[in-house]
Amino acid sequence: MTEMIKLFVNGEEVEVESGKNLIDALEKVGIEIPHFCYHPALGADGNCRMCLVGIEDGRPPVVPACKTLAKEGMKVLLDADNIKKIQHDVMELEFINHPTDCPICDQAGECKLQDYYMKYEGTESRMWVPQVTKRKMQDFGGGVIHDQERCVACGRCVRFLRQITRTGELGLVNRGDDCRVEFFPGRPINNRYGLNVVDLCPVGALTSADFRFKQRAWFLKRAESICHGCSKGCNIMVDHNKEKYEDDIIYRLRPRQNEQVNGWFMCDEGRMTYKLENDNRLEECTLAGAVRPLADIFADAERRIERATKVLFLVSPSASLEQLAAVQALAEKTGATVSAFSDGYIVKDDGDDFLIKDDKAANRAGVDLLGIAKSRTHFDNMAKEADVFINFGNDLSRSLSEEQIGRLFSDTWVLNGATHPGQLGAVMEKKVGSSIALRSWSEYHGVVVNCDGIAQKFVGGVMKNVERPDIVEMAAGLGSPATGTAAAWALVQKKIPALAEFGGFLELPAEGVKLTDNEAGK
Amino acid sequence: MAAKVKQLPSRGGTPAEKVYLIEIFKGMAITLKHFLRNLWDNSNLYVRHYPEVQPDIPARWRGRHRLLTHPDGTPKCVACFMCQTNCPADCIMIKAGTRIDGVTEKMPVSFTIDLAECIYCGYCVEACPEDAIRMDTGIYAFTSSNREEMKIGMTEMLSLKGGFPEEEYQKGLEGE
Amino acid sequence: MTNLDIIMVIVRVSISAFVPLCFLAVCVTMERRVAGFIQDRSGPNRAGICGIRAGGLVQNLADGLKLAFKEDIISEHVEHKFLYVLAPIISMAAAIISFALVPFADTLVLDGKSYVMQGIPWDTGILWFLAITGFSVYGIILAGWSSTNKYSLLGALRSASQVISYEIPMGLAVISLLIVYGSINLSDIARFQGQTWLGFIPMWGILLQPLAAVIFIVAAFAECNRTPFDLAEGESELVAGFHLEYSAMKFAVFFMGEYVAMFASSAVIVTLFFGGYNIPFFDTDFLIRNIKPVAFVLLVILPVFMFYFAKWIRRNNRSQYLRENDPRKAEATIYIRCFWILIAIIEVFLLAILAFAQPDTAAAHLLVALMQICTFLIKVTLMLFVYVWVRWTIPRFRYDQLQMLGWQKLLPLALLNIFVTGAIVVALG
């Protein structure tokens, strides 16, 4: 537990954590101090002057809150007239050359200038001289588009690229009303975390070329999820929306703060994984090549499993703990073998020391925790013997070539549960006994364990027009005793005692549960 | 609790009113008067002989929507989605894209209003920051035999002209 | 049975069955036009065949065609499909046969044989009417129940209780009438009203029994499910009540049944209280005896009437806005010509009667019978107008008010009326 101290804000006593600056400390108790340039991950810069507050103890009458540590007995003034005037005047200064093109600005709705204008200024401009015009729609590279007129010169982007990625592509040039953010000639943003500057920018100066003009911020529904792009398990916000007469699609992924895992950021590749969720999804469930209702497919597959001598289940290392447990329970009931063979998910030397990992599976640690075999030899042996093979969403085409898959299952009846076409290879998919279109991770809830052994919950908010089963439902349809996510979660809790104390997976804390090395199977 | 309760004197208590019939005959006399007058000469009916006689539409009338253009012919709309956000009937469907005519950065790629769902409240006009949409065409009748035709697109709305002189329209706005 | 007998049977049955049906058009048109005029609107005046709109009659044709060709839907949740289909038929059939015993002219004497001018020459008279109207509510109850719809069922329940409440005052009002008339036969009742009192006051039921007339008319409104007693439909609270689930022709049959019932009860009201087929001050014998003067008067009156009628048509049948070569004026000319031709034909007949007919011959009897039929229909039309007039004036009763009126006001009044009438009749011997 951090130590708590007491201080006074506008004469009222509040209890805050010690060792933090005033902005962070007071934000925890719900008191907002306006600021542009300060960001917890980037530290205090003190250039925007928006966070000036009064301290009643004989020090300089106003101090920047971002650079002032909260101290016991401190008397902070936020609503004094001079503080209000400072905030008003800073806002007025920012607006002198601001183009106020909110109608075409993607930041509108989540823009600090807009919010603060409503809260701290709210007056009309007193300027009569023409505004200074600067460059608009400047391509900064890396999918970032810059609008110099909207910039408030807080320097967050510059500091991010210097302190976090240490690439330093951007810099602030010139002074006064000519001050602007520029990249060094011929060296645009070129790193794997570049799009984070879009999130960092408090105004609409930096926007994402990918998200540009796709949706207004206020239309987007948010779902707190976990990135399934690699085993790091970055916390993300899935921004999706279902437009009238259209399907529910994801428009962007944004990082969500989690000090234990990803801090405030995520990588650019992870951001773009939303496209996989939207496009080229498997839609139909087929039996012997014909589209059939799910119940028929389940009944047929159940009969085949009963008659088969050897059944092999292949699970995905990205599947949630519940899904893995449900398939395991099914395997126990039917005497089948479960494999999580997924060598192809590991991309050698792709990872770095920040967020990107070699292992592109979101729940490999969970596979190990539940004791599911994943070696190639085990899989090969079992595949040769098996006469019924059921794939639960594993993208086998990553690990094996089409010929290899074809050879393994040449005389095996295959049920392919998949989210996207091509997961068993195009040739094999034409020959499968039946196939089931599955839900993807943005459409179901669950828990995954990341590479550091942290179990994190995620919520799927996307509701596609096409009803698809998720893997728990598919396993249940094939006869698994775990008939729903709740039952599957109970099985998970039996296998992983550290999770037993949480009634449902939604009760997991937001920052995740750190499983001990022992439990994580290391 | 009783603050908002307003007690009105109860009517119908007198013996003459309690008989009902007298009051009923009084009422029937009124309707008969109207009937006989109109039967004798039907030129006094409060009826507009639509469609032969068209109503006078004031400038403030909210008719069909149109999209306005700059003098150079480019659409004023910048696809800010304010109208779609405000629309209580959820009948405006916009797709935004990068502007190609160089006026600003953003423009609608498609702008569809489903007139079958529109309730003609005029919130879109009020919300528009660019004065790009107005309901001043003076067109009040719009029929179709299928739902798809009730959706009007951007080209159609851009091609419509205002039904009133600009000064009259602005004068209408002042009243609001 | 002679040929004449057979012809007379056919004629009487046809009149009693088809006149109500023909009057549907009159009723519906009147309903719409009167409603329009009462509300200072014009009512339907657009539908026309080659520009001939016949004062809105063509609109009925259009609506009838529409209803006939609409898809006839029986909802899946309707379990008793037979009863569901039977309901409108009961409603319509009961309405038509309830008119069967109403005389539309005095007993016609041809070749020394007398023919009672009723659909069914039977003595049950007013009891038949009471029985059949009581039966017609089965159509409504059946419709409401078999629709398997809560609104319909509520409408049916209301209708059932309303009929029970209002049949009693109606029956009691009839009893006091019977005390006066001394017969249940409607022909006798009509003939009784042909007499005059003190030589110039017709002895109509409304004058002899004003209280019974009020009670009977109010109850008749309730029996017909007309405003202000149309709680079974109650569109503002029960959507459409008992016929909510009915569409197309089945709905149309209900609709027609309602108007036929309205016609039948108007006819009964006219027969009981307004002298039936009697032309005021002139009883049948007088007319037959003085056939030539009567024909002469008609000969003179008809063209005069037509002259003013033509003027009225001219005045009202024109476009109310600037229009070149107003086609409605041409239309008015066509109407006026048609009417003049009709009048001319009638004049020729009247002239023939004036020239050749002798009093107390078959021709005289026929002419008088025709005049009485016309009188009867005019009276019924006026009564129908009252129905329409009331509907567009008075709002619907609340359900408790309806029952209160039936049981607490009409029932005691009707009983009182019987005692008073009885006492007076006994006193006068």
Side-chain angles (χ1 to χ4, degrees):
Chain A
M1 279 301 286
T2 44
E3 199 190 328
M4 302 302 278
I5 54 170
K6 282 181 182 159
L7 47 78
F8 298 88
V9 178
N10 301 332
E12 278 177 44
E13 193 184 70
V14 292
E15 204 178 40
V16 300
E17 290 176 23
S18 69
K20 290 191 161 176
N21 67 16
L22 281 175
I23 293 180
D24 281 349
L26 292 181
E27 195 188 2
K28 283 250 168 160
V29 294
I31 298 168
E32 187 201 31
I33 298 172
H35 57 277
F36 288 113
C37 69
Y38 172 72
H39 189 280
L42 304 174
D45 200 41
N47 69 47
C48 73
R49 315 315 285 169
M50 192 64 192
C51 66
L52 288 176
V53 295
I55 307 285
E56 276 183 80
D57 62 351
R59 291 207 297 174
V62 290
V63 293
C66 61
K67 283 188 179 279
T68 310
L69 272 181
K71 282 198 187 129
E72 182 78 37
M74 201 177 227
K75 290 188 175 120
V76 185
L77 275 180
L78 290 180
D79 60 353
D81 285 346
N82 63 331
I83 302 299
K84 281 186 178 168
K85 179 153 174 30
I86 287 168
Q87 288 166 345
H88 182 274
D89 292 352
V90 171
M91 284 307 293
E92 195 165 20
L93 177 74
E94 300 292 4
F95 274 116
I96 287 175
N97 286 319
H98 190 83
T100 332
D101 52 357
C102 304
I104 59 165
C105 177
D106 272 339
Q107 193 79 4
E110 45 189 20
C111 172
K112 286 220 176 162
L113 264 181
Q114 275 187 335
D115 296 348
Y116 292 165
Y117 174 79
M118 292 300 173
K119 210 163 172 185
Y120 302 107
E121 196 199 353
T123 51
E124 297 217 348
S125 174
R126 291 185 286 161
M127 297 300 292
W128 66 89
V129 292
Q131 289 187 323
V132 176
T133 53
K134 298 181 196 170
R135 287 181 69 185
K136 294 176 88 75
M137 277 180 80
Q138 189 181 6
D139 191 358
F140 264 8
V144 180
I145 297 206
H146 180 48
D147 187 309
Q148 290 181 337
E149 289 183 354
R150 294 180 194 151
C151 180
V152 294
C154 67
R156 278 191 190 182
C157 47
V158 175
R159 280 179 286 146
F160 172 78
L161 293 172
R162 286 184 185 161
Q163 295 171 17
I164 310 286
T165 64
R166 296 178 193 280
T167 46
E169 288 99 334
L170 297 180
L172 278 162
V173 298
N174 292 340
R175 289 171 174 253
D177 61 11
D178 207 21
C179 178
R180 56 188 195 267
V181 176
E182 281 280 12
F183 58 86
F184 295 103
R187 291 185 55 198
I189 295 176
N190 180 22
N191 64 66
R192 298 171 80 180
Y193 297 93
L195 280 172
N196 283 308
V197 296
V198 174
D199 299 319
L200 285 170
C201 185
V203 295
L206 294 170
T207 49
S208 156
D210 181 62
F211 177 65
R212 197 172 159 83
F213 304 155
K214 293 271 164 58
Q215 280 280 298
R216 300 317 303 254
W218 55 84
F219 286 135
L220 295 170
K221 317 270 183 307
R222 285 125 169 67
E224 294 183 354
S225 188
I226 302 292
C227 178
H228 280 49
C230 76
S231 60
K232 183 70 183 174
C234 296
N235 288 219
I236 54 165
M237 193 69 91
V238 175
D239 286 353
H240 63 101
N241 184 29
K242 181 180 175 355
E243 285 197 338
K244 205 171 190 184
Y245 308 130
E246 315 251 321
D247 204 356
D248 197 351
I249 58 172
I250 305 174
Y251 285 93
R252 61 176 180 187
L253 304 180
R254 285 181 300 143
R256 188 157 58 90
Q257 187 214 355
N258 187 342
E259 295 294 352
Q260 273 201 85
V261 182
N262 59 322
W264 294 80
F265 308 111
M266 70 185 291
C267 65
D268 291 358
E269 286 142 61
R271 270 175 208 271
M272 294 306 147
T273 53
Y274 79 87
K275 289 182 177 166
L276 283 174
E277 301 297 293
N278 292 344
D279 305 333
N280 193 26
R281 290 285 300 275
L282 214 54
E283 292 201 340
E284 281 157 346
C285 300
T286 60
L287 178 59
V291 178
R292 293 286 288 277
L294 210 47
D296 293 3
I297 293 169
F298 284 150
D300 175 67
E302 224 174 328
R303 219 167 31 242
R304 283 176 194 275
I305 293 171
E306 262 172 41
R307 286 195 209 131
T309 50
K310 197 91 186 160
V311 183
L312 173 61
F313 294 161
L314 180 64
V315 290
S316 159
S318 287
S320 70
L321 286 177
E322 290 93 328
Q323 296 176 338
L324 295 174
V327 175
Q328 256 191 324
L330 175 64
E332 273 165 32
K333 187 185 162 198
T334 56
T337 319
V338 187
S339 168
F341 168 63
S342 53
D343 289 356
Y345 279 69
I346 298 169
V347 184
K348 281 266 175 302
D349 302 326
D350 188 56
D352 56 21
D353 56 353
F354 185 35
L355 294 176
I356 302 172
K357 298 286 163 205
D358 284 350
D359 183 3
K360 303 299 175 195
N363 196 21
R364 192 175 298 276
V367 170
D368 294 339
L369 276 174
L370 295 174
I372 298 171
K374 57 183 186 191
S375 73
R376 167 130 202 201
T377 42
H378 174 259
F379 178 72
D380 277 356
N381 292 338
M382 289 301 157
K384 271 173 207 145
E385 289 172 25
D387 45 8
V388 168
F389 167 67
I390 298 180
N391 180 20
F392 289 90
N394 188 317
D395 189 354
L396 201 57
S397 65
R398 288 204 206 183
S399 314
L400 298 174
S401 68
E402 271 191 30
E403 295 115 63
Q404 284 172 316
I405 298 172
R407 245 195 333 273
L408 275 177
F409 302 116
S410 53
D411 50 358
T412 313
W413 185 84
V414 178
L415 166 58
N416 179 29
T419 52
H420 294 77
Q423 294 192 343
L424 281 186
V427 181
M428 190 65 211
E429 262 166 29
K430 281 198 192 108
K431 293 197 286 183
V432 294
S434 54
S435 73
I436 293 175
L438 289 176
R439 272 194 227 164
S440 192
W441 58 267
S442 62
E443 294 143 36
Y444 58 75
H445 314 313
V447 175
V448 288
V449 185
N450 80 347
C451 58
D452 301 324
I454 298 171
Q456 303 188 89
K457 66 179 174 187
F458 63 96
V459 175
V462 181
M463 304 278 277
K464 288 283 186 193
N465 286 346
V466 181
E467 276 279 333
R468 302 180 176 93
D470 85 326
I471 291 173
V472 175
E473 285 161 18
M474 176 174 163
L478 295 172
S480 170
T483 48
T485 316
W489 176 245
L491 294 175
V492 172
Q493 284 178 317
K494 257 184 226 161
K495 297 229 162 128
I496 310 173
L499 295 175
E501 60 179 292
F502 305 104
F505 72 94
L506 283 175
E507 288 173 26
L508 251 60
E511 70 272 11
V513 181
K514 176 89 179 149
L515 306 176
T516 57
D517 287 353
N518 188 355
E519 278 164 333
K522 283 179 186 165
Chain B
M1 178 231 149
K4 281 187 181 171
V5 178
K6 195 175 166 191
Q7 290 272 333
L8 291 174
S10 159
R11 294 284 307 263
T14 62
E17 284 168 341
K18 274 197 168 164
V19 177
Y20 292 153
L21 276 181
I22 299 168
E23 296 294 313
I24 283 173
F25 286 140
K26 275 190 201 165
M28 287 174 70
I30 292 173
T31 46
L32 186 67
K33 211 165 68 195
H34 279 259
F35 169 71
L36 290 178
R37 194 193 70 195
N38 295 324
L39 184 72
W40 184 250
D41 183 359
N42 65 8
S43 59
N44 295 325
L45 298 172
Y46 300 121
V47 174
R48 176 182 294 122
H49 295 269
Y50 183 83
E52 291 89 355
V53 182
Q54 297 277 340
D56 264 345
I57 304 290
R60 286 176 63 182
W61 172 273
R62 297 191 293 266
R64 252 177 75 186
H65 318 67
R66 68 175 177 124
L67 289 175
L68 278 75
T69 53
H70 292 293
D72 62 354
T74 52
K76 279 188 178 179
C77 177
V78 295
C80 69
F81 288 74
M82 285 296 150
C83 47
Q84 184 178 336
T85 309
N86 263 285
C87 183
D90 202 7
C91 71
I92 304 179
M93 284 151 279
I94 307 174
K95 290 256 178 302
T98 309
R99 190 129 189 164
I100 39 178
D101 52 22
V103 180
T104 49
E105 292 170 31
K106 197 179 177 186
M107 72 182 290
V109 178
S110 78
F111 191 116
T112 313
I113 295 184
D114 192 340
L115 290 178
E117 295 191 337
C118 178
I119 58 170
Y120 296 91
C121 62
Y123 282 7
C124 48
V125 181
E126 265 182 63
C128 187
E130 304 284 331
D131 190 22
I133 187 167
R134 285 190 192 173
M135 296 172 81
D136 65 346
T137 50
I139 304 172
Y140 48 82
F142 189 53
T143 53
S144 168
S145 53
N146 68 58
R147 281 164 185 275
E148 279 310 306
E149 280 172 23
M150 299 295 281
K151 289 181 187 164
I152 52 170
M154 193 159 74
T155 27
E156 200 186 339
M157 279 192 280
L158 281 170
S159 66
L160 286 174
K161 293 277 169 287
F164 311 97
E166 184 66 22
E167 313 85 69
E168 214 177 301
Y169 181 77
Q170 296 297 343
K171 220 170 88 188
L173 291 186
E174 281 164 27
E176 281 174 8
Chain C
M1 248 184 160
T2 62
N3 284 342
L4 186 65
D5 288 346
I6 294 168
I7 289 170
M8 281 311 290
V9 166
I10 292 171
V11 165
R12 286 177 303 177
V13 170
S14 324
I15 289 179
S16 116
F18 292 123
V19 165
L21 288 176
C22 295
F23 256 68
L24 264 176
V26 178
C27 288
V28 176
T29 311
M30 189 157 72
E31 182 96 82
R32 289 170 159 177
R33 298 302 305 243
V34 171
F37 283 160
I38 281 177
Q39 297 168 349
D40 289 340
R41 307 182 277 111
S42 63
N45 64 349
R46 290 289 169 143
I49 300 169
C50 306
I52 304 294
R53 300 162 304 147
L57 278 169
V58 178
Q59 181 71 46
N60 298 340
L61 195 68
D63 287 345
L65 277 175
K66 182 200 83 172
L67 285 167
F69 286 108
K70 256 179 115 164
E71 187 186 358
D72 201 347
I73 298 163
I74 299 182
S75 308
E76 288 226 331
H77 63 258
V78 174
E79 282 169 25
H80 303 276
K81 295 219 162 46
F82 175 70
L83 297 179
Y84 178 81
V85 177
L86 187 67
I89 298 173
I90 291 181
S91 198
M92 176 84 174
I96 292 177
I97 55 173
S98 64
F99 178 64
L101 259 64
V102 178
F104 35 81
D106 204 349
T107 308
L108 183 61
V109 182
L110 287 179
D111 284 350
K113 261 188 173 173
S114 39
Y115 299 95
V116 182
M117 294 300 268
Q118 290 168 217
I120 306 171
W122 205 9
D123 287 339
T124 38
I126 184 67
L127 295 185
W128 171 268
F129 175 77
L130 289 179
I132 298 297
T133 49
F135 185 64
S136 74
V137 76
Y138 282 99
I140 291 174
I141 295 172
L142 216 50
W145 173 74
S146 67
S147 292
T148 332
N149 177 315
K150 57 188 168 195
Y151 289 125
S152 304
L153 189 62
L154 274 174
L157 286 174
R158 284 179 176 194
S159 191
S161 61
Q162 182 180 317
V163 165
I164 290 169
S165 312
Y166 280 78
E167 250 182 15
I168 295 167
M170 194 187 216
L172 292 177
V174 168
I175 286 174
S176 61
L177 278 178
L178 300 186
I179 295 172
V180 174
Y181 294 143
S183 169
I184 58 165
N185 190 328
L186 287 168
S187 287
D188 293 346
I189 291 173
R191 209 171 294 120
F192 183 92
Q193 293 177 84
Q195 308 166 34
T196 48
W197 190 41
L198 303 177
F200 63 96
I201 303 170
M203 285 174 72
W204 283 7
I206 183 101
L207 300 174
L208 298 174
Q209 282 288 326
L211 192 55
V214 169
I215 293 167
F216 189 89
I217 290 171
V218 169
F221 273 85
E223 293 278 302
C224 287
N225 279 316
R226 290 283 298 185
T227 327
F229 304 107
D230 62 342
L231 285 108
E233 278 179 57
E235 51 277 279
S236 53
E237 55 228 61
L238 295 183
V239 192
F242 63 93
H243 63 62
L244 173 55
E245 295 281 343
Y246 285 82
S247 59
M249 216 46 212
K250 284 204 283 292
F251 166 75
V253 170
F254 263 125
F255 189 73
M256 293 192 295
E258 186 188 327
Y259 282 102
V260 172
M262 207 167 104
F263 177 86
S265 70
S266 291
V268 170
I269 289 170
V270 164
T271 310
L272 288 180
F273 300 105
F274 295 98
Y277 49 74
N278 285 303
I279 304 165
F281 314 116
F282 304 111
D283 64 9
T284 319
D285 290 343
F286 176 84
L287 291 171
I288 290 169
R289 270 185 275 110
N290 303 298
I291 192 67
K292 284 202 175 182
V294 168
F296 181 73
V297 169
L298 278 180
L299 202 62
V300 177
I301 285 177
L302 278 176
V304 174
F305 168 76
M306 186 55 218
F307 177 74
Y308 285 105
F309 186 52
K311 272 180 93 170
W312 178 80
I313 291 178
R314 279 252 180 266
R315 184 167 64 242
N316 288 310
N317 205 74
R318 60 189 166 87
S319 300
Q320 303 289 353
Y321 49 91
L322 280 180
R323 197 171 178 188
E324 270 178 44
N325 297 330
D326 192 352
R328 294 203 179 162
K329 284 186 178 156
E331 194 190 343
T333 313
I334 295 171
Y335 296 151
I336 290 166
R337 278 188 193 148
C338 288
F339 278 116
W340 273 123
I341 291 167
L342 188 70
I343 293 288
I345 293 167
I346 296 171
E347 294 282 284
V348 168
F349 278 110
L350 287 174
L351 268 175
I353 285 170
L354 202 59
F356 307 113
Q358 295 300 316
D360 214 9
T361 54
H365 281 280
L366 276 174
L367 178 66
V368 171
L370 275 175
M371 279 168 66
Q372 284 175 336
I373 290 175
C374 289
T375 315
F376 180 72
L377 290 182
I378 288 168
K379 284 180 181 176
V380 169
T381 310
L382 286 174
M383 196 59 219
L384 286 170
F385 171 75
V386 173
Y387 268 91
V388 173
W389 180 17
V390 167
R391 173 168 175 186
W392 296 100
T393 306
I394 302 170
R396 184 180 307 132
F397 272 83
R398 214 168 56 208
Y399 185 70
D400 61 323
Q401 293 171 333
L402 173 97
Q403 296 292 11
M404 204 105 84
L405 182 72
W407 292 104
Q408 293 189 356
K409 301 243 157 68
L410 296 186
L411 181 65
L413 277 178
L415 285 172
L416 180 75
N417 194 33
I418 290 174
F419 291 128
V420 172
T421 312
I424 291 172
V425 168
V426 169
L428 293 177

